[in-house]
Short mmCIF file of all heavy atoms in Angstrom, two decimals:
data_model
loop_
_atom_site.label_atom_id
_atom_site.label_comp_id
_atom_site.label_asym_id
_atom_site.label_seq_id
_atom_site.Cartn_x
_atom_site.Cartn_y
_atom_site.Cartn_z
N THR A 1 9.02 11.50 -5.46
CA THR A 1 8.90 12.70 -4.65
C THR A 1 7.44 13.04 -4.37
O THR A 1 7.07 13.35 -3.23
CB THR A 1 9.60 13.89 -5.33
OG1 THR A 1 10.99 13.58 -5.46
CG2 THR A 1 9.44 15.17 -4.53
N ALA A 2 6.60 12.97 -5.39
CA ALA A 2 5.18 13.28 -5.22
C ALA A 2 4.53 12.29 -4.26
O ALA A 2 3.73 12.68 -3.40
CB ALA A 2 4.48 13.26 -6.57
N ALA A 3 4.86 11.01 -4.39
CA ALA A 3 4.28 9.99 -3.50
C ALA A 3 4.71 10.20 -2.05
O ALA A 3 3.92 10.05 -1.12
CB ALA A 3 4.67 8.59 -3.97
N ALA A 4 5.96 10.59 -1.85
CA ALA A 4 6.45 10.84 -0.49
C ALA A 4 5.77 12.07 0.11
O ALA A 4 5.40 12.06 1.29
CB ALA A 4 7.97 11.04 -0.51
N ASN A 5 5.59 13.10 -0.70
CA ASN A 5 4.88 14.28 -0.21
C ASN A 5 3.47 13.91 0.23
O ASN A 5 3.00 14.35 1.28
CB ASN A 5 4.82 15.36 -1.29
CG ASN A 5 6.16 16.01 -1.56
OD1 ASN A 5 7.09 15.87 -0.78
ND2 ASN A 5 6.26 16.70 -2.67
N LEU A 6 2.82 13.09 -0.55
CA LEU A 6 1.47 12.65 -0.22
C LEU A 6 1.47 11.80 1.05
O LEU A 6 0.61 11.97 1.93
CB LEU A 6 0.87 11.85 -1.38
CG LEU A 6 -0.57 11.40 -1.24
CD1 LEU A 6 -1.51 12.59 -1.15
CD2 LEU A 6 -0.94 10.51 -2.42
N ALA A 7 2.43 10.91 1.17
CA ALA A 7 2.52 10.04 2.34
C ALA A 7 2.71 10.86 3.62
O ALA A 7 2.07 10.59 4.64
CB ALA A 7 3.67 9.05 2.18
N VAL A 8 3.56 11.88 3.56
CA VAL A 8 3.79 12.72 4.73
C VAL A 8 2.54 13.55 5.03
O VAL A 8 2.11 13.65 6.18
CB VAL A 8 5.03 13.64 4.53
CG1 VAL A 8 5.12 14.70 5.61
CG2 VAL A 8 6.30 12.80 4.49
N THR A 9 1.93 14.09 4.02
CA THR A 9 0.74 14.93 4.21
C THR A 9 -0.42 14.15 4.80
O THR A 9 -1.11 14.63 5.71
CB THR A 9 0.31 15.55 2.87
OG1 THR A 9 1.37 16.37 2.38
CG2 THR A 9 -0.93 16.41 3.03
N LEU A 10 -0.62 12.93 4.31
CA LEU A 10 -1.78 12.14 4.74
C LEU A 10 -1.47 11.18 5.89
O LEU A 10 -2.39 10.54 6.41
CB LEU A 10 -2.33 11.35 3.56
CG LEU A 10 -2.87 12.19 2.39
CD1 LEU A 10 -3.34 11.29 1.27
CD2 LEU A 10 -3.98 13.11 2.86
N GLY A 11 -0.22 11.03 6.25
CA GLY A 11 0.14 10.09 7.31
C GLY A 11 -0.13 8.66 6.89
O GLY A 11 -0.68 7.87 7.65
N SER A 12 0.28 8.31 5.70
CA SER A 12 -0.03 7.01 5.09
C SER A 12 0.90 5.90 5.57
O SER A 12 1.68 5.35 4.80
CB SER A 12 0.07 7.13 3.57
OG SER A 12 -0.76 8.14 3.10
N LEU A 13 0.80 5.55 6.83
CA LEU A 13 1.69 4.54 7.38
C LEU A 13 1.46 3.15 6.80
O LEU A 13 2.37 2.33 6.77
CB LEU A 13 1.55 4.50 8.90
CG LEU A 13 1.95 5.78 9.63
CD1 LEU A 13 1.66 5.67 11.11
CD2 LEU A 13 3.41 6.09 9.38
N GLY A 14 0.25 2.87 6.35
CA GLY A 14 -0.07 1.55 5.81
C GLY A 14 0.47 1.31 4.41
O GLY A 14 0.53 0.18 3.95
N GLY A 15 0.86 2.35 3.73
CA GLY A 15 1.45 2.20 2.41
C GLY A 15 0.87 3.15 1.39
O GLY A 15 -0.18 3.75 1.59
N ILE A 16 1.58 3.26 0.30
CA ILE A 16 1.17 4.05 -0.85
C ILE A 16 1.04 3.10 -2.03
O ILE A 16 1.95 2.31 -2.31
CB ILE A 16 2.21 5.15 -1.18
CG1 ILE A 16 2.31 6.17 -0.06
CG2 ILE A 16 1.92 5.81 -2.52
CD1 ILE A 16 1.14 7.13 0.03
N TYR A 17 -0.09 3.15 -2.71
CA TYR A 17 -0.33 2.33 -3.89
C TYR A 17 -0.21 3.21 -5.13
O TYR A 17 -0.85 4.26 -5.21
CB TYR A 17 -1.72 1.69 -3.84
CG TYR A 17 -1.81 0.61 -2.80
CD1 TYR A 17 -2.01 0.92 -1.45
CD2 TYR A 17 -1.66 -0.72 -3.15
CE1 TYR A 17 -2.07 -0.07 -0.49
CE2 TYR A 17 -1.71 -1.73 -2.19
CZ TYR A 17 -1.92 -1.38 -0.87
OH TYR A 17 -1.97 -2.37 0.08
N ILE A 18 0.62 2.77 -6.06
CA ILE A 18 0.84 3.51 -7.30
C ILE A 18 -0.06 2.90 -8.36
O ILE A 18 0.01 1.71 -8.66
CB ILE A 18 2.31 3.44 -7.76
CG1 ILE A 18 3.26 3.88 -6.63
CG2 ILE A 18 2.52 4.24 -9.02
CD1 ILE A 18 3.07 5.29 -6.15
N GLY A 19 -0.92 3.73 -8.93
CA GLY A 19 -1.84 3.26 -9.97
C GLY A 19 -1.53 3.94 -11.30
O GLY A 19 -0.51 4.60 -11.45
N GLY A 20 -2.42 3.78 -12.22
CA GLY A 20 -2.26 4.42 -13.52
C GLY A 20 -1.83 3.43 -14.59
O GLY A 20 -1.72 2.23 -14.35
N GLY A 21 -1.58 3.96 -15.76
CA GLY A 21 -1.27 3.10 -16.90
C GLY A 21 0.21 2.94 -17.20
O GLY A 21 0.58 2.05 -17.96
N ILE A 22 1.06 3.77 -16.63
CA ILE A 22 2.47 3.73 -16.98
C ILE A 22 3.24 2.74 -16.12
O ILE A 22 3.93 1.85 -16.64
CB ILE A 22 3.10 5.14 -16.88
CG1 ILE A 22 2.45 6.08 -17.89
CG2 ILE A 22 4.62 5.07 -17.11
CD1 ILE A 22 2.85 7.52 -17.74
N VAL A 23 3.15 2.86 -14.82
CA VAL A 23 3.98 2.06 -13.91
C VAL A 23 3.78 0.55 -14.11
O VAL A 23 4.78 -0.18 -14.12
CB VAL A 23 3.77 2.49 -12.44
CG1 VAL A 23 4.50 1.55 -11.49
CG2 VAL A 23 4.27 3.92 -12.25
N PRO A 24 2.56 0.04 -14.30
CA PRO A 24 2.43 -1.41 -14.51
C PRO A 24 3.20 -1.92 -15.74
O PRO A 24 3.59 -3.07 -15.78
CB PRO A 24 0.93 -1.61 -14.70
CG PRO A 24 0.31 -0.48 -13.97
CD PRO A 24 1.25 0.68 -14.18
N ARG A 25 3.44 -1.06 -16.71
CA ARG A 25 4.19 -1.45 -17.91
C ARG A 25 5.70 -1.49 -17.68
O ARG A 25 6.44 -2.01 -18.50
CB ARG A 25 3.91 -0.48 -19.04
CG ARG A 25 2.50 -0.52 -19.52
CD ARG A 25 2.30 0.44 -20.64
NE ARG A 25 0.90 0.42 -21.06
CZ ARG A 25 0.37 1.28 -21.88
NH1 ARG A 25 1.10 2.24 -22.40
NH2 ARG A 25 -0.90 1.19 -22.20
N LEU A 26 6.13 -0.93 -16.56
CA LEU A 26 7.57 -0.81 -16.33
C LEU A 26 8.21 -2.08 -15.77
O LEU A 26 9.42 -2.24 -15.86
CB LEU A 26 7.85 0.37 -15.39
CG LEU A 26 7.40 1.73 -15.89
CD1 LEU A 26 7.79 2.81 -14.90
CD2 LEU A 26 7.96 2.04 -17.27
N GLY A 27 7.41 -2.94 -15.17
CA GLY A 27 7.93 -4.20 -14.66
C GLY A 27 9.10 -4.00 -13.72
O GLY A 27 9.09 -3.13 -12.86
N GLU A 28 10.13 -4.81 -13.90
CA GLU A 28 11.30 -4.78 -13.02
C GLU A 28 12.06 -3.46 -13.10
O GLU A 28 12.77 -3.11 -12.16
CB GLU A 28 12.24 -5.94 -13.35
CG GLU A 28 11.66 -7.29 -12.98
CD GLU A 28 12.61 -8.43 -13.30
OE1 GLU A 28 13.80 -8.16 -13.61
OE2 GLU A 28 12.17 -9.59 -13.24
N TYR A 29 11.91 -2.74 -14.20
CA TYR A 29 12.59 -1.45 -14.31
C TYR A 29 12.20 -0.54 -13.14
O TYR A 29 13.03 0.16 -12.58
CB TYR A 29 12.28 -0.74 -15.63
CG TYR A 29 12.78 0.69 -15.63
CD1 TYR A 29 14.10 0.98 -15.95
CD2 TYR A 29 11.96 1.74 -15.23
CE1 TYR A 29 14.58 2.28 -15.89
CE2 TYR A 29 12.43 3.05 -15.16
CZ TYR A 29 13.74 3.30 -15.50
OH TYR A 29 14.21 4.59 -15.43
N PHE A 30 10.92 -0.56 -12.79
CA PHE A 30 10.43 0.32 -11.74
C PHE A 30 11.14 0.04 -10.42
O PHE A 30 11.44 0.96 -9.66
CB PHE A 30 8.92 0.21 -11.58
CG PHE A 30 8.34 1.27 -10.70
CD1 PHE A 30 8.31 2.60 -11.11
CD2 PHE A 30 7.81 0.96 -9.47
CE1 PHE A 30 7.78 3.60 -10.30
CE2 PHE A 30 7.27 1.94 -8.65
CZ PHE A 30 7.26 3.26 -9.07
N ASP A 31 11.44 -1.22 -10.15
CA ASP A 31 12.14 -1.58 -8.91
C ASP A 31 13.56 -1.01 -8.89
O ASP A 31 14.10 -0.72 -7.82
CB ASP A 31 12.20 -3.10 -8.75
CG ASP A 31 10.83 -3.72 -8.56
OD1 ASP A 31 9.90 -3.02 -8.10
OD2 ASP A 31 10.67 -4.91 -8.89
N ARG A 32 14.17 -0.84 -10.05
CA ARG A 32 15.53 -0.30 -10.15
C ARG A 32 15.54 1.21 -10.37
O ARG A 32 16.61 1.83 -10.37
CB ARG A 32 16.28 -0.96 -11.32
CG ARG A 32 16.47 -2.45 -11.20
CD ARG A 32 17.31 -3.02 -12.35
NE ARG A 32 16.92 -2.56 -13.67
CZ ARG A 32 16.03 -3.17 -14.45
NH1 ARG A 32 15.40 -4.24 -14.05
NH2 ARG A 32 15.74 -2.70 -15.65
N SER A 33 14.40 1.79 -10.61
CA SER A 33 14.30 3.21 -10.95
C SER A 33 14.59 4.09 -9.73
O SER A 33 14.66 3.59 -8.60
CB SER A 33 12.89 3.52 -11.47
OG SER A 33 11.97 3.66 -10.40
N PRO A 34 14.70 5.38 -9.94
CA PRO A 34 14.93 6.30 -8.82
C PRO A 34 13.72 6.49 -7.90
O PRO A 34 13.81 7.23 -6.92
CB PRO A 34 15.27 7.63 -9.51
CG PRO A 34 15.51 7.33 -10.92
CD PRO A 34 14.82 6.05 -11.22
N PHE A 35 12.61 5.83 -8.17
CA PHE A 35 11.38 6.05 -7.41
C PHE A 35 11.60 5.94 -5.91
O PHE A 35 11.31 6.86 -5.15
CB PHE A 35 10.28 5.09 -7.85
CG PHE A 35 9.07 5.14 -6.96
CD1 PHE A 35 8.12 6.12 -7.13
CD2 PHE A 35 8.91 4.23 -5.93
CE1 PHE A 35 7.01 6.20 -6.29
CE2 PHE A 35 7.81 4.29 -5.08
CZ PHE A 35 6.86 5.28 -5.26
N ARG A 36 12.07 4.79 -5.45
CA ARG A 36 12.15 4.57 -4.00
C ARG A 36 13.18 5.47 -3.33
O ARG A 36 12.96 5.98 -2.23
CB ARG A 36 12.44 3.08 -3.71
CG ARG A 36 12.32 2.72 -2.25
CD ARG A 36 10.91 2.84 -1.74
NE ARG A 36 10.91 2.93 -0.28
CZ ARG A 36 9.86 2.79 0.49
NH1 ARG A 36 8.68 2.54 -0.03
NH2 ARG A 36 9.94 2.90 1.78
N ALA A 37 14.32 5.69 -3.99
CA ALA A 37 15.33 6.59 -3.42
C ALA A 37 14.77 7.99 -3.25
O ALA A 37 14.99 8.64 -2.22
CB ALA A 37 16.58 6.61 -4.30
N ARG A 38 14.02 8.45 -4.25
CA ARG A 38 13.42 9.78 -4.15
C ARG A 38 12.29 9.78 -3.14
O ARG A 38 12.06 10.78 -2.46
CB ARG A 38 12.91 10.24 -5.52
CG ARG A 38 14.00 10.59 -6.51
CD ARG A 38 14.60 11.96 -6.29
NE ARG A 38 13.66 13.03 -6.54
CZ ARG A 38 13.45 13.58 -7.73
NH1 ARG A 38 14.15 13.18 -8.79
NH2 ARG A 38 12.58 14.54 -7.87
N PHE A 39 11.58 8.67 -3.00
CA PHE A 39 10.52 8.55 -2.01
C PHE A 39 11.10 8.75 -0.61
O PHE A 39 10.51 9.42 0.23
CB PHE A 39 9.84 7.19 -2.13
CG PHE A 39 8.67 6.99 -1.20
CD1 PHE A 39 7.42 7.46 -1.53
CD2 PHE A 39 8.82 6.32 0.00
CE1 PHE A 39 6.32 7.28 -0.68
CE2 PHE A 39 7.75 6.13 0.86
CZ PHE A 39 6.50 6.61 0.51
N GLU A 40 12.25 8.15 -0.36
CA GLU A 40 12.87 8.20 0.96
C GLU A 40 13.71 9.45 1.19
O GLU A 40 14.13 9.72 2.32
CB GLU A 40 13.71 6.95 1.20
CG GLU A 40 12.87 5.69 1.26
CD GLU A 40 13.67 4.44 1.52
OE1 GLU A 40 14.87 4.55 1.89
OE2 GLU A 40 13.10 3.35 1.37
N ASP A 41 13.95 10.23 0.17
CA ASP A 41 14.79 11.43 0.28
C ASP A 41 13.95 12.60 0.79
O ASP A 41 13.62 13.53 0.06
CB ASP A 41 15.40 11.76 -1.08
CG ASP A 41 16.40 12.90 -1.01
OD1 ASP A 41 16.88 13.22 0.10
OD2 ASP A 41 16.69 13.49 -2.07
N LYS A 42 13.59 12.54 2.08
CA LYS A 42 12.70 13.54 2.67
C LYS A 42 13.35 14.24 3.86
O LYS A 42 12.65 14.67 4.78
CB LYS A 42 11.38 12.92 3.11
CG LYS A 42 10.47 12.44 1.99
CD LYS A 42 10.09 13.53 1.03
CE LYS A 42 9.15 14.53 1.66
NZ LYS A 42 8.87 15.65 0.75
N GLY A 43 14.68 14.33 3.88
CA GLY A 43 15.35 15.04 4.95
C GLY A 43 14.97 14.49 6.32
O GLY A 43 15.11 13.29 6.57
N ARG A 44 14.47 15.36 7.18
CA ARG A 44 14.14 14.94 8.55
C ARG A 44 13.01 13.92 8.60
O ARG A 44 12.81 13.26 9.62
CB ARG A 44 13.83 16.14 9.43
CG ARG A 44 12.60 16.90 8.99
CD ARG A 44 12.50 18.23 9.78
NE ARG A 44 11.45 19.05 9.21
CZ ARG A 44 10.33 19.33 9.85
NH1 ARG A 44 10.12 18.89 11.07
NH2 ARG A 44 9.42 20.07 9.27
#
């Protein structure tokens, strides 16, 4: 949700890069996580 809000605010058509120390440790779990569904759940 936070990444989608940022993408809409900044007009990030080229992509959003997720950094930090947690996500790289998640491996394949991250691909199955609610991240992308919540990213795309932006109504209009």
Side-chain angles (χ1 to χ4, degrees):
T1 298
N5 289 345
L6 184 63
V8 169
T9 299
L10 297 178
S12 304
L13 297 175
I16 294 287
Y17 289 81
I18 307 299
I22 297 172
V23 173
R25 294 181 182 170
L26 300 182
E28 291 180 12
Y29 170 84
F30 191 68
D31 295 335
R32 298 184 313 270
S33 80
F35 171 82
R36 189 66 199 194
R38 289 281 293 273
F39 183 83
E40 294 181 12
D41 186 18
K42 291 301 290 175
R44 64 190 171 112

